Amino acid sequence: MALRSLFSRTSLAGLSAASRTSSCLDSKALGLAGLAQSRGLKTASLPDLPYDYGALEPAISGDIMQLHHKKHHQTYVTNYNKALEQLHEATLKGDVGTVVKLQSAIKFNGGGHVNHSIFWKNLAPVREGGGEPPHGSLGWAIDTHFGSVEALIQKMNAEGAALQGSGWVWLGLDKETKKLVVDTTANQDPLVTKGATLIPLLGIDVWEHAYYLQYKNVRPDYLKNIWKVMNWKYAGEIYQQECP
Amino acid sequence: MLPSPAKKQSSPFDRRRRASKAVAYFGLKPPPYQLDALEPHMSKKTVELHWGGHHRGYLENLNKALAKDDVLYSYTMDELITVTYNRGNPLPVFNNAAQVWNHDFFWESMQPGGGGIPELGLLDQIEKDFGSFTNFREKFVEAALTSFGSGWVWLVLKREEKHLAIVKTSNAFTPLIWDDIPIINLDVWEHAYYLDYKNERAKYVNAFMDHLVSWNTAMGRLARAEAFVNLGEPNIPVA
């Protein structure tokens, strides 16, 4: 269709490309990445999931995991690489207008890649420790700052449910003050946009694509259930790195 | 003491205070067609969940908020949106009010057997402001695909500039806050298309343009808008 070929030439139209088969998309991504790498540009690539798509059932369905990883996250990666290529060219040419124009695409797609890469590590199947409450120093810190893990979960769920539109709810660590914080970001903004010293420990995707097929519009149910597959071990490791 | 004409009060003290006040809430307007009338481009399941779940949810939250707040009573929906937008610092109830309005507008912007090309004055105005209908369609679809996150895409008549334009808004925002006149809108929140199209927003937007959009409604809206915006300004010679 003429419109489709037009979009494949414009800069921000990765979304129409996502409707083609995934094999076509992969080869396109590889081709683009290969070209970019030959110029010394380090492109992003879709990380593998450390578990099967169905491993987080029944908290998160296999359908959602597959779509979320293979389609949504892949689209962010593809579009980020495309935007990066264009940014590189525009920077070399000194085309300031284009450099500025590309910032929102880089922030959105790059942020999507960063956030989702953390998200996959934040989740774990039950048999690999998903849902097990935090031990050690992170557990202590949570009790000190929030009173209890349950209180923290309630707070994050409340903020996640109240978030209008699309975004993320985070448990973060302030590198400087060594304090734990709960915060939200809009769209695909990474946590660091809320504070340069903030490090994400846990993030929950509250975009509708993260839960709609299974929970429909009942976001609070999704938020309640996701804690059953939360990988506190990962959060604990990051915390201990920063607060030894 | 006359009894209050409307809702039952919770205590005699309230009744005395509000004796002369009529109380009204907003109602849920159904789409102007059966819930399965937009199949196969928008499934009955989607319309049921979108209207019955999301739209109804916004409405109930709006009424709940209004029940607590005397100051916001007796506004029409349009006025309520402007007031709660609070000149750029929206009150919490803005989201609910605006989303109710946006969704009412959305259902009416579609019809079974929709799509195609508008006629008469609307087509003339589109050709005048976009060059051709094809160009307008391309721009509209592009706007829908480059909308990051949740939001809406609008065809509006700009009051000051006196021409049509395509506008993207995020979350609940609506061109009413800039005093522009909306002609059609398209919901690009994921809940609007996820069940039917998963992540393939392009397919959804094209289905909307080809099979759902109600140009009849749009023509009516433009005709009404011309009562407020003079699109055919005659060349008045300067004396």
Side-chain angles (χ1 to χ4, degrees), chain B residues 48-59:
Chain B
E48 271 177 349
L49 192 51
H50 198 173
W51 175 68
H54 293 267
H55 189 173
R56 190 192 300 273
Y58 288 125
L59 187 91

Side-chain angles (χ1 to χ4, degrees), chain A residues 160-217:
Chain A
L163 195 149
Q164 288 290 328
S166 310
W168 292 74
V169 59
W170 302 95
L171 171 65
L173 170 67
D174 189 324
K175 261 199 301 212
E176 271 178 21
T177 64
K178 304 292 184 204
K179 287 224 165 84
L180 292 175
V181 296
V182 168
D183 210 342
T184 56
T185 55
N187 295 343
Q188 291 298 351
D189 295 352
L191 183 59
V192 76
T193 58
K194 277 296 191 74
T197 52
L198 292 177
I199 298 178
L201 298 176
L202 289 179
I204 303 181
D205 189 351
V206 290
W207 279 64
E208 285 170 330
H209 65 235
Y211 59 90
Y212 209 73
L213 290 179
Q214 188 177 353
Y215 294 96
K216 305 295 185 300
N217 63 323

Side-chain angles (χ1 to χ4, degrees), chain A residues 30-103:
Chain A
L30 276 169
L32 200 67
L35 192 65
Q37 270 165 351
S38 66
R39 297 186 210 171
L41 257 190
K42 207 146 197 289
T43 49
S45 58
L46 183 68
D48 284 327
L49 276 192
Y51 37 78
D52 288 332
Y53 287 131
L56 301 179
E57 301 249 8
I60 306 181
S61 73
D63 280 345
I64 290 188
M65 290 305 292
Q66 188 165 13
L67 266 171
H68 206 172
H69 180 249
K70 258 214 179 114
K71 292 280 159 88
H72 289 273
H73 191 171
Q74 178 67 70
T75 303
Y76 293 129
V77 169
T78 310
N79 288 347
Y80 170 73
N81 289 338
K82 242 191 266 187
L84 193 66
E85 260 289 321
Q86 289 166 344
L87 180 67
H88 185 74
E89 274 175 37
T91 316
L92 290 176
K93 276 196 283 192
D95 183 353
V96 182
T98 306
V99 168
V100 173
K101 194 174 73 148
L102 288 168
Q103 296 306 310

